[in-house]
Amino acid sequence: DLLFSKFPENITTLQWHSYEVQDLLNSDVTLIASSPETKYQIFRYKNHAYGIQFHIEAKKSTVGDWGCVPEYKLALEKQLGMGALNKFDTDSQAHIHSMNVYSKILYENFIKLIK
């Protein structure tokens, strides 16, 4: 897919959600990327729309900012255990540079698509 053509085979992303798109049994949907946790990480509907089920827009403060919302922190700890927010933030910081590179690639490819 042109939009993700410069992405490496495997990437580390920030995924923080309680809901996800599942079972897209439609011949107009193309699966572009998946992970062990989420089958439809990136998908395309015809040539009209994309779905991305991770946070490509992450920045250094994202986890800390979102962790200030009590419901978000509780949901994360419910899924990953006590202290999950700190571990999640540490992991995010370790990969923030590469996540920002992927974000820039996506933006540059998107600009090429719409020109």
Side-chain angles (χ1 to χ4, degrees):
D1 185 274
L2 182 60
L3 199 55
F4 299 94
S5 63
K6 294 184 180 179
F7 275 46
E9 182 73 22
N10 294 298
I11 65 172
T12 299
T13 65
L14 176 65
Q15 180 171 301
W16 187 343
H17 60 74
S18 320
Y19 301 99
E20 67 182 84
V21 173
Q22 298 178 351
D23 302 324
L24 288 173
L25 305 175
N26 183 317
S27 62
D28 293 328
V29 174
T30 302
L31 177 61
I32 297 171
S34 57
S35 72
E37 295 81 23
T38 303
K39 180 178 181 181
Y40 293 95
Q41 282 289 11
I42 304 172
F43 55 94
R44 182 183 71 234
Y45 175 74
K46 295 185 178 182
N47 289 323
H48 307 298
Y50 287 86
I52 302 173
Q53 296 200 103
F54 56 89
H55 295 280
I56 198 150
E57 78 285 5
K59 55 186 182 178
K60 284 186 175 190
S61 64
T62 297
V63 173
D65 291 346
W66 293 353
C68 290
V69 178
E71 293 83 6
Y72 292 179
K73 182 179 179 185
L74 284 172
L76 190 64
E77 288 181 344
K78 184 177 180 181
Q79 187 174 21
L80 302 175
M82 292 300 291
L85 183 63
N86 288 338
K87 181 180 180 336
F88 202 57
D89 191 35
T90 299
D91 290 347
S92 173
Q93 297 305 319
H95 298 283
I96 196 67
H97 175 74
S98 60
M99 288 189 288
N100 291 162
V101 167
Y102 308 141
S103 184
K104 184 176 181 185
I105 291 169
L106 178 65
Y107 173 78
E108 289 171 350
N109 286 348
F110 181 75
I111 294 299
K112 289 176 188 172
L113 268 178
I114 62 173
K115 283 187 174 183

